[in-house]
Amino acid sequence: MLSLFSVVFTFLALFLIPGLFISRRLNVPLSLTNILRFIKIIASKYDDAEERNEKRGTMGEKQKRGRNIMPKHVAVILDGNRRWAEKRGLGTSEGHEAGARRLMENAKDCFAMGTNTISLFAFSTENWERPEDEVKCLMALFEKYLASDMPYLRSDKIKISVIGNRTKLPESLLGLIEEVEEATKSYEGKNLIIAIDYSGRYDILQACKSLANKVKDGLIQVEDINEKAMEKELLTKCSEFPNPDLLIRTSGEQRISNFFLWQSAYTELYFPTVLWPDFGEAEYLEALTWYQQRQRRFGRRV
């Protein structure tokens, strides 16, 4: 008698009561087919919910990674020193002095936030056309700050690389550049590239000449020349990350002029209106925020 009661109770609990509930819920006749259909619907909804949660989790991970994406290589075109001085009724040399002071301050901020390579377009090939006293002022400032920042470069183990055509540089500056590069060449993890008498066209031209000479000397074949071979000849080969992720040009000018023409093919370009001497930590954080938003939206470019 007890076993019969157990069988009846089990049937009611497992089949009849759920069947009645399903019949009323779906407003359909009670049948095994309708019960199976209901189970299938519930299973499908559960799978969809799991998929949505998985996608939500994946997007969350992507957004989390996006928030943490830092550019490995930041390039900056230092523009606006003269306009900064004019706005304040100061001389051109005072504007360049303010810009030179800002240079190392900003480099410290960049390195502190995890950037590996910082490239600064400090003096273009076209800048030789400026008044002679202005050019002399700039050369003197390069010497002054390279010498005064040497203790910091050594203590923070920052590798200095000066790129560009050195044939016109003053002997005293050239000697100092060689000294600083020699003293810091073994450092890894932080690379400060300073472009003096540099142009993107010059960089590409010297790379092509180097490849042509290697072909002439039998070191490589013409068929060996490709993008990777080209990049190994560009002046930015001194960095572990030769191509900038983010290029900033201050002063509002929306062009990269003659700077990193090859290297910037896939670079994010950021053009703040602030003049270079006023470009500080807050402005750099704004640039990083903009860069990270771009990465979250479009993903890292190749």
Side-chain angles (χ1 to χ4, degrees):
M1 186 70 180
L2 184 61
S3 62
L4 179 62
F5 177 79
S6 297
V7 170
V8 172
F9 181 79
T10 302
F11 174 77
L12 290 172
L14 295 179
F15 298 101
L16 186 58
I17 294 174
L20 289 171
F21 170 77
I22 293 167
S23 177
R24 293 188 64 182
R25 177 73 180 270
L26 298 179
N27 196 23
V28 296
L30 178 62
S31 68
L32 180 60
T33 301
N34 288 333
I35 291 173
L36 293 174
R37 186 181 298 156
F38 179 78
I39 293 172
K40 188 176 180 180
I41 291 170
I42 294 300
S44 176
K45 287 183 177 179
Y46 176 78
D47 288 342
D48 288 345
E50 260 198 344
E51 188 177 347
R52 283 195 301 271
N53 288 336
E54 186 177 341
K55 284 182 178 178
R56 197 175 293 125
T58 303
M59 288 301 294
E61 284 300 313
K62 284 183 179 178
Q63 289 175 352
K64 187 176 179 182
R65 287 197 299 269
R67 283 194 294 271
N68 294 329
I69 287 174
M70 293 295 292
K72 294 294 184 183
H73 183 169
V74 175
V76 187
I77 299 176
L78 322 177
D79 197 9
N81 289 345
R82 292 195 292 182
R83 276 170 281 175
W84 182 90
E86 288 172 8
K87 284 175 65 176
R88 289 160 177 75
L90 302 173
T92 300
S93 61
E94 292 172 286
H96 289 312
E97 178 79 38
R101 285 196 303 269
R102 179 63 68 186
L103 189 152
M104 193 54 69
E105 292 172 6
N106 284 345
K108 291 176 182 179
D109 290 337
C110 291
F111 286 131
M113 294 179 197
T115 297
N116 171 283
T117 299
I118 302 160
S119 294
L120 302 171
F121 196 15
F123 189 89
S124 71
T125 300
E126 292 78 12
N127 287 155
W128 289 114
E129 299 174 6
R130 293 189 176 185
E132 186 178 351
D133 59 342
E134 184 178 353
V135 172
K136 286 182 178 179
C137 168
L138 288 166
M139 295 298 133
L141 286 171
F142 291 142
E143 286 192 47
K144 174 182 176 181
Y145 282 95
L146 272 177
S148 64
D149 288 325
M150 188 63 148
Y152 164 71
L153 298 172
R154 280 180 164 163
S155 65
D156 249 42
K157 297 189 181 303
I158 297 172
K159 177 184 175 182
I160 288 284
S161 303
V162 177
I163 62 174
N165 184 356
R166 301 187 181 188
T167 57
K168 292 184 181 180
L169 298 183
E171 286 295 325
S172 55
L173 175 58
L174 191 58
L176 183 58
I177 288 171
E178 291 172 353
E179 179 186 341
V180 171
E181 286 183 328
E182 179 64 27
T184 64
K185 67 180 182 181
S186 62
Y187 298 153
E188 297 179 352
K190 296 177 184 178
N191 193 350
L192 180 59
I193 300 174
I194 303 175
I196 301 177
D197 193 4
Y198 175 90
S199 77
R201 291 180 178 181
Y202 167 79
D203 199 355
I204 294 171
L205 183 60
Q206 66 83 30
C208 290
K209 287 180 177 179
S210 178
L211 288 171
N213 286 329
K214 287 183 178 181
V215 172
K216 182 181 177 182
D217 295 339
L219 299 175
I220 61 172
Q221 300 298 315
V222 173
E223 293 76 16
D224 297 327
I225 299 175
N226 53 31
E227 289 188 12
K228 287 186 177 179
M230 183 72 171
E231 288 189 349
K232 289 179 181 178
E233 301 299 329
L234 294 170
L235 297 176
T236 43
K237 64 188 176 185
C238 57
S239 169
E240 181 184 355
F241 303 98
N243 301 322
D245 302 299
L246 172 64
L247 188 149
I248 302 168
R249 177 169 186 159
T250 56
S251 84
E253 292 278 355
Q254 297 190 9
R255 55 195 174 93
I256 63 173
S257 297
N258 203 356
F259 185 49
F260 284 178
L261 298 181
W262 176 286
Q263 295 90 334
S264 298
Y266 301 104
T267 299
E268 297 287 1
L269 307 177
Y270 182 71
F271 302 109
T273 56
V274 64
L275 302 176
W276 171 247
D278 289 329
F279 189 88
E281 184 178 5
E283 287 74 23
Y284 182 61
L285 285 172
E286 285 181 14
L288 283 183
T289 301
W290 177 87
Y291 173 80
Q292 290 171 346
Q293 288 172 347
R294 294 278 298 178
Q295 298 310 296
R296 288 198 297 271
R297 185 175 177 185
F298 301 110
R300 185 181 292 277
R301 298 184 179 183
V302 183

